[in-house]
Amino acid sequence: MFSLKLEDVLGKALSLRSLTGPEIVFLLGLKEEDEICLLFQTAQVLRERFFGPKVFAYGFVYFSTYCRNNCRFCSSRISNRQKLRYRKTESEIREAASSLAKSGVHLIDLTMGEDPRYYGRREEFEGLAELAAVVKRETGLPLMISPGAVSEKTLRDFAEAGVDWYACYQETHNRRLFDELRPGQSYDGRMLKKYRARDMGMLIEEGIMAGVGETNLDIANSVSAMRGMGAQQTRVMSFIPQDGTPMVDRHSPLRLRELLIIAVLRLAFPDRLIPASLDIDGLANLKERLEAGANVVTSLIPPSMGLSGVSQASLDINEGNRTIQGIIPVLDKIGLELADAEDYGNWVGKERKKLRRQNLNCEAEV
Ligand code: SF4
């Protein structure tokens, strides 16, 4: 087998050619500090080329922590009796979204577990689509919805309500590992939702989890799957052990693994959005995630509203660190700056227009 040279692989990425699976596996296996630094610098060069010093920020409203599923890694799993759950009312959701919008975030992400109240009653989802339209109108911001693997009809309702993004993380594209992590759920069914949402004109966020037994080849396959679905936002999050779950005794992976994956995502998707999530370590390691090539800070949560994160239910929330004011000093320190709402709106508008054109071309070909 021929051996790869780091300069060649990085040079290929800089000339915007797609990396192969073996090249991605090679990058993920880097051990030497100077080589890892070169990888991160290349990721920064690529981010700078497409986004300059501008970083986007997303507000997060996790409005229901009830879920009908039993994912082994997640504290919201149905069989977790230790979990203190909540379900926010429509006015609480609107208040949280408005507060986030006033604080200067660029997008509102409405997230829930697969709450049986919604999954049991069609009209609840219709109400949610209407609420999404209201939140979008009141905040004037693009909207992402992360409601789980909803029906085709519900996806269409969201698209018609003007929802810009549909997020539904697979966590892994290794089917065996998926079955372990998400027992009783359909790998293909979940993937299909993203394809259908894309066909309806919504932008797609796909996500994977690091430290759950995946190999480097699995990550390379995930990159390929993300490319295949044309995801406009690609993310990785480190596994955090959760009380009341079967994986509570597993260790969280070294953060270097997540940073390497962020950098690889930037090389593979130089002009896409790649999050640095506050939901893993709070403000800690935000700088490192941005230095690995991320360009969106996600999971900003307004303090004192009784809202939680997903991986970290309370870390840095009531301290006010998961806010625009909390992240600005970190951006300043590394020469980055918060984008204007207009910059983000333009990016989303351009991508949605591009997607509509692609969809129309596909229809014309059929
Ligand atoms: S990951 Fe999502 S679907 Fe799975 S248990 Fe948690 S909230 Fe439910």
Side-chain angles (χ1 to χ4, degrees), residues 13-136:
L14 285 169
S15 61
L16 305 184
R17 283 177 291 152
S18 287
L19 300 183
T20 63
E23 286 165 340
I24 289 173
V25 169
F26 167 74
L27 292 176
L28 292 171
L30 292 178
K31 298 272 182 301
E32 301 301 325
E33 206 179 317
D34 55 336
E35 294 187 329
I36 292 170
C37 274
L38 262 183
L39 169 63
F40 291 166
Q41 280 164 12
T42 305
Q44 288 172 39
V45 168
L46 284 167
R47 180 188 60 205
E48 174 76 25
R49 196 184 296 174
F50 288 95
F51 297 96
K54 308 276 181 165
V55 170
F56 303 128
Y58 287 4
F60 184 65
V61 182
Y62 190 19
F63 63 90
S64 172
T65 58
Y66 287 87
C67 188
R68 63 179 181 171
N69 287 328
N70 221 6
C71 301
R72 288 168 60 80
F73 56 89
C74 177
S75 73
S76 295
R77 68 198 309 262
I78 190 168
S79 58
N80 185 358
R81 306 271 172 245
Q82 299 177 28
K83 175 90 178 170
L84 292 173
R85 298 177 193 266
Y86 65 79
R87 188 183 284 124
K88 296 296 182 188
T89 64
E90 187 178 318
S91 62
E92 287 169 328
I93 295 169
R94 287 169 58 189
E95 193 190 338
S98 294
S99 154
L100 281 162
K102 279 192 203 112
S103 79
V105 303
H106 302 119
L107 167 141
I108 303 294
D109 176 6
L110 296 182
T111 295
M112 67 174 200
E114 293 195 2
D115 184 339
R117 173 180 292 180
Y118 287 86
Y119 279 78
R121 305 223 303 270
R122 193 40 247 123
E123 61 273 20
E124 294 287 355
F125 273 120
E126 283 167 5
L128 183 55
E130 281 164 27
L131 175 62
V134 170
V135 167
K136 187 167 162 158

Side-chain angles (χ1 to χ4, degrees), residues 220-254:
N221 290 337
S222 286
V223 168
S224 168
M226 290 165 163
R227 199 177 277 139
M229 71 177 62
Q232 288 81 8
Q233 182 161 302
T234 59
R235 82 153 62 206
V236 56
M237 287 178 69
S238 293
F239 162 73
I240 302 286
Q242 305 288 331
D243 287 340
T245 70
M247 291 172 71
V248 64
D249 293 328
R250 293 269 286 264
H251 292 293
S252 188
L254 292 177

